[in-house]
Amino acid sequence: MPDQPAPRASPLPCDAGSMLAALWEAAGDIVVVIDAVGRLAAINESGLRLLGQTREQAVGSDWFDLALPPKDNDNARILHRALLDGELSPKDLTQNQTIRTALGWRRLRWGLGLIDGPDGQPAMVLACGRDVDAQSQLEAAVREKEAEYRDILDAANDAIFIQDPATGQILDANERAVSLYGYGVDELRRITPDGLSAGTPPHTGAAALAKLDQARRGQPQLFEWLARDKTGRLFWTEVNLRHAVVRGQDRIIAVVRDITERKNAERALRESEKKFRQLAETIGEVFWLASPDVKRIFYVSPAYETLWGRPPVSLYASPQSWLDSVHPEDRDKVLDHMTRLASGPPARGIFPDFRVVRDDGSVRWVQARYFPVIGDSGGVSRLAGTLEDITDRVQTRLELERVNERLEDMVRKRTQTLNRMNEELIHEVLERREAEASMARAKEAAEAASRAKSAFLANISHEIRTPMNGILGMAQILGQTGLSDDQKEFLKDIEGSASSLLALINDLLDFSRIEAERVELAHEAFGLRAVLASVEAAMGAPAREKGLELSVDISPDVPDMLLGDADRLRQVLTNLVGNAIKFTDHGGVVVQAQCVEACRPAEAITRGMRQELLFSVSDTGIGILPEDTSRIFEAFTQADGSYTRRFGGTGLGLAITRRLVALMGGELGVDSVPDQGSVFTFSLTFELEPLSPRH
């Protein structure tokens, strides 16, 4: 260091404009100018703050003694001299160098340049330093923040995506998204929204992009979405889309929650509520559901209107309006019970019987029961109950009480003569018992005679049918021999008469078996459509011979596999179709089968389920007079004797058909208009046969 202090250098050694001054201050954490002998000629403000020096203290001092560690001093001076002498290029000396700062020793990365003197030769060295330790710490902090962000992202229970709002491209995703959709993060980055959607409206890629665009416009989106994972499995999600700016870029943060279990629970709840309403609306009693204090009515079944004479909606509007109809003489006891009910936690109980005066003036007796419904928290969440019309029961009881009073009065009046009448009463009882025994014996004898008659009829029909089959068989054999035309006509008459007689015998045999209670129904699996097809095939020829159209119409949702007696069902339908063809000259006959209520889906059928089916056979024939509709089902009876003369028959067909339907648990009915046609209907309940796995 020279003995004389160096002249103070200006902050900028070469006069430049304000732009150069700003660059000087912003060039680095520290910018210094060192002259040829190693003195600090200039330093920027950030450099002074880094060194913890004032400008007066720093400028003019030996830079190497001021800032560098002693062990690096000599080597730094040599390099400084080599730069000014042109032996080294500043580009070759870009390196890290430790200096003394206000915070202690810090490593800086230096960039060097040369400043020429008036003679055009290098006179000073310009050095710009960046705090490497601070940069490393900043980068470490950034990495730590990113790690924390990733940990938080991966710890979330919901799937989280960061997406480009314009294209929907996935830029990042957490571990839950990977496990939920089955794709790795790299795979997700290559998948469009269409690949993660069900693909069917409204859950398409285009719809997803529209949602993203709305979120980008500052309209947060919350919606349910049908998604698809890598295996193709569809599942329900709840999606929350919000706009965010990430590193200066518009992004969409998508939070996706798997709600499949919730959707399944909601569907199960809806099905449960449907069954509950069906049950509540089927039973004859009034069913109601209210708050524990009965100040709110949540549900009341339609039977309320039948009992109270008021629509259920009146209770929803005014839950206490039911009290208005309580009989004035019973109102106090009902109100007292209501007060006790409200004084503590509700428990299972019953109101005292009371009367209701309906708007039409009629009076009905009511029995009201109630019980608490326990919620998930363990407390009473609802109060449920039933209202039963017990008018008939009360009237019967009151009548019995009046009868008992009269009897007791009679007993009191006749006490004196009881002994005398006792013998007569005993005698009368003995005679009555004898009469009852005689009637029982007569009844048993009549039933035995009826069974014997039916058994005889069944046996004789069977015995007659055997030779009749022989006659028919021999007639068929005879028809195969050489016969004249007249003989063929005679033989045709013989076969027709024998067939008619055999049909008569078959009807008698079936009727006698039913009468003798010897018919047993099968319980086997069969295909409904196959049975109807066989009826159509068997009766098609007679229909075509008369120029009639025979069609079978069965709803596509009617279950096919049933458990029951297919042969008896076929016999019933064949009899009805044959009867329709017999009495129809123009038009046609239609056989229909449909569900009485909603048909059960095939995939939902389990063993034990039942389905009620409605069958109908309609024709465009001669019809039946209203006064004859009740007689046509009687044995050996037809609507009119002229029908027998014109159409033939025994009058047993409909009687047998009706009894077969009754044996299968149904009832055969008819709706007819003379000269327009008839419709025979019956409904049967079958147990359903689940589809086997191969179906």
Side-chain angles (χ1 to χ4, degrees):
M1 296 289 294
D3 296 335
Q4 298 298 324
R8 300 293 185 185
S10 64
L12 287 175
C14 300
D15 187 17
S18 58
M19 184 180 298
L20 185 57
L23 180 61
W24 169 260
E25 291 297 335
D29 292 329
I30 181 172
V31 180
V32 296
V33 176
I34 306 169
D35 64 12
V37 297
R39 290 176 300 181
L40 181 62
I43 183 170
N44 65 351
E45 292 294 333
S46 60
L48 291 172
R49 289 193 295 271
L50 180 64
L51 296 177
Q53 300 279 325
T54 66
R55 190 173 299 279
E56 288 74 13
Q57 292 173 330
V59 174
S61 62
D62 187 285
W63 167 253
F64 300 104
D65 291 337
L66 174 67
L68 271 60
K71 64 181 181 64
D72 297 338
N73 202 316
D74 293 341
N75 186 56
R77 291 179 186 277
I78 293 171
L79 294 176
H80 179 70
R81 187 69 261 171
L83 283 171
L84 293 175
D85 292 342
E87 297 176 2
L88 289 175
S89 170
K91 293 186 293 184
D92 298 334
L93 291 179
T94 301
Q95 61 181 347
N96 294 341
Q97 176 64 57
T98 302
I99 68 170
R100 183 187 293 110
T101 70
L103 301 176
W105 294 103
R106 307 283 289 187
R107 284 188 316 115
L108 274 69
R109 184 170 182 82
W110 293 94
L112 304 177
L114 297 175
I115 300 175
D116 294 338
D119 58 357
Q121 297 298 317
M124 298 183 184
V125 174
L126 175 68
C128 297
R130 285 286 183 185
D131 190 337
V132 177
D133 290 338
Q135 182 69 24
S136 299
Q137 291 173 358
L138 179 60
E139 292 174 355
V142 171
R143 289 193 297 271
E144 184 178 354
K145 288 295 183 183
E146 289 183 349
E148 291 177 357
Y149 151 78
R150 174 54 62 181
D151 290 341
I152 294 172
L153 204 63
D154 289 339
N157 290 326
D158 298 329
I160 301 176
F161 298 97
I162 300 177
Q163 294 177 263
D164 185 305
T167 64
Q169 178 186 0
I170 296 172
L171 305 175
D172 199 1
N174 66 347
E175 290 183 357
R176 176 57 180 153
V178 171
S179 64
L180 181 61
Y181 286 86
Y183 294 100
V185 175
D186 290 339
E187 291 178 297
L188 288 171
R189 291 191 177 113
R190 297 191 297 269
I191 295 176
T192 63
D194 196 48
L196 300 182
S197 301
T200 56
H203 307 103
T204 64
L209 288 175
K211 295 284 188 183
L212 290 170
D213 184 63
Q214 289 179 305
R216 182 187 64 82
R217 297 172 183 269
Q219 303 172 11
Q221 302 292 306
L222 180 62
F223 53 92
E224 293 182 356
W225 193 259
L226 188 59
R228 182 191 305 273
D229 67 8
K230 187 173 183 178
T231 65
R233 177 183 68 94
L234 297 180
F235 59 98
W236 279 102
T237 62
E238 181 182 78
V239 182
N240 189 339
L241 300 181
R242 289 184 179 272
H243 174 263
V245 177
V246 180
R247 297 186 181 94
Q249 299 291 327
D250 282 341
R251 296 291 183 255
I252 297 298
I253 308 298
V255 180
V256 181
R257 177 171 296 174
D258 186 349
I259 60 170
T260 303
E261 291 185 3
R262 189 181 81 189
K263 296 289 284 187
N264 291 338
E266 290 174 353
R267 182 169 58 253
L269 179 61
R270 288 194 298 270
E271 293 176 355
S272 177
E273 289 178 348
K274 180 181 178 181
K275 292 178 181 177
F276 159 76
R277 289 184 178 273
Q278 289 176 343
L279 175 62
E281 294 173 6
T282 300
I283 61 176
E285 300 178 0
V286 179
F287 182 84
W288 54 270
L289 189 65
S291 60
D293 57 4
V294 201
K295 292 183 179 179
R296 290 182 62 195
I297 300 296
F298 300 113
Y299 175 77
V300 62
S301 64
Y304 176 80
E305 185 169 3
T306 303
L307 178 54
W308 237 260
R310 295 184 177 184
V313 70
S314 63
L315 278 182
Y316 299 131
S318 179
Q320 301 296 321
S321 62
W322 64 275
L323 287 168
D324 299 339
S325 299
V326 176
H327 196 285
E329 296 178 4
D330 298 336
R331 189 166 298 165
D332 287 342
K333 64 181 180 181
V334 172
L335 290 174
D336 288 344
H337 195 87
M338 288 284 292
T339 301
R340 290 195 300 272
L341 180 63
S343 63
R348 182 183 296 270
I350 181 172
F351 276 83
D353 297 346
F354 60 91
R355 288 164 290 177
V356 170
V357 182
R358 300 195 294 191
D359 292 343
D360 61 3
S362 60
V363 178
R364 308 302 295 177
W365 279 91
V366 177
Q367 183 178 79
R369 300 177 181 273
Y370 56 88
F371 53 90
V373 179
I374 307 301
D376 295 337
S377 61
V380 177
S381 62
R382 297 285 189 273
L383 195 65
T386 59
L387 300 170
E388 182 182 2
D389 187 343
I390 58 170
T391 304
D392 293 342
R393 190 190 312 167
V394 172
Q395 290 177 346
T396 301
R397 186 185 70 222
L398 293 176
E399 182 65 26
L400 287 175
E401 290 175 354
R402 289 192 291 270
V403 170
N404 287 335
E405 290 177 359
R406 290 197 297 270
L407 288 175
E408 290 176 358
D409 185 58
M410 292 173 61
V411 169
R412 285 192 298 269
K413 292 179 180 180
R414 300 183 63 181
T415 300
Q416 296 178 356
T417 60
L418 183 59
N419 291 333
R420 178 178 57 82
M421 297 179 62
N422 190 40
E423 293 182 359
E424 296 178 2
L425 182 60
I426 292 174
H427 180 69
E428 182 180 347
V429 168
L430 292 175
E431 288 182 348
R432 182 177 299 176
R433 288 180 177 174
E434 181 62 29
E436 290 176 351
S438 298
M439 290 177 64
R441 289 192 294 271
K443 179 176 178 294
E444 292 176 358
E447 290 176 348
S450 177
R451 288 193 295 271
K453 177 204 71 174
S454 297
F456 171 76
L457 188 59
N459 291 332
I460 195 65
S461 298
H462 181 74
E463 293 298 328
I464 295 175
R465 188 167 64 172
T466 300
M468 282 306 304
N469 285 328
I471 293 173
L472 283 171
M474 293 307 297
Q476 291 175 357
I477 294 173
L478 181 60
Q480 298 173 0
T481 62
L483 299 175
S484 65
D485 291 341
D486 289 341
Q487 288 173 329
K488 288 180 180 179
E489 287 297 323
F490 296 153
L491 183 60
K492 182 177 181 180
D493 291 342
I494 292 173
E495 287 179 336
S497 299
S499 297
S500 298
L501 186 56
L502 183 59
L504 169 62
I505 293 169
N506 286 334
D507 286 346
L508 288 172
L509 183 58
D510 282 342
F511 184 76
S512 61
R513 284 175 176 171
I514 296 173
E515 284 284 309
E517 299 180 353
R518 292 169 58 185
V519 175
E520 295 183 359
L521 297 178
H523 188 71
E524 299 174 344
F526 69 91
L528 175 61
R529 287 169 175 77
V531 170
L532 293 175
S534 66
V535 172
E536 183 179 19
M539 304 307 297
R544 289 191 294 272
E545 289 178 0
K546 296 188 68 176
L548 302 176
E549 181 181 353
L550 173 62
S551 63
V552 173
D553 181 14
I554 179 169
S555 299
D557 56 348
V558 172
D560 188 56
M561 294 307 296
L562 310 175
L563 290 175
D565 194 326
D567 291 336
R568 291 302 180 185
L569 176 60
R570 185 183 295 107
Q571 182 178 356
V572 167
L573 293 173
T574 302
N575 285 352
L576 292 177
V577 173
N579 200 62
I581 294 173
K582 179 192 299 185
F583 294 102
T584 302
D585 293 330
H586 305 286
V589 178
V590 178
V591 182
Q592 289 184 309
Q594 58 189 11
C595 296
V596 174
E597 295 181 351
C599 295
R600 297 184 182 274
E603 64 275 8
I605 294 175
T606 58
R607 189 165 299 280
M609 283 187 176
R610 303 175 71 83
Q611 180 76 61
E612 185 178 5
L613 301 180
L614 178 66
F615 298 88
S616 64
V617 177
S618 56
D619 61 63
T620 57
I622 62 175
I624 304 169
L625 294 174
E627 59 268 21
D628 292 332
T629 55
S630 61
R631 298 176 56 247
I632 61 173
F633 296 110
E634 298 176 4
F636 306 103
T637 302
Q638 289 193 346
D640 189 336
S642 63
Y643 290 179
T644 305
R645 292 191 297 273
R646 178 181 174 189
F647 297 101
T650 63
L652 283 176
L654 289 178
I656 292 172
T657 301
R658 188 176 201 178
R659 297 196 183 191
L660 286 176
V661 171
L663 283 173
M664 290 188 286
E667 182 177 356
L668 181 62
V670 63
D671 185 13
S672 182
V673 178
D675 299 326
Q676 294 186 20
S678 304
V679 180
F680 287 83
T681 60
F682 63 93
S683 62
L684 297 176
T685 300
F686 294 94
E687 185 176 342
L688 300 178
E689 176 73 4
L691 293 176
S692 61
R694 64 176 178 271
H695 287 89

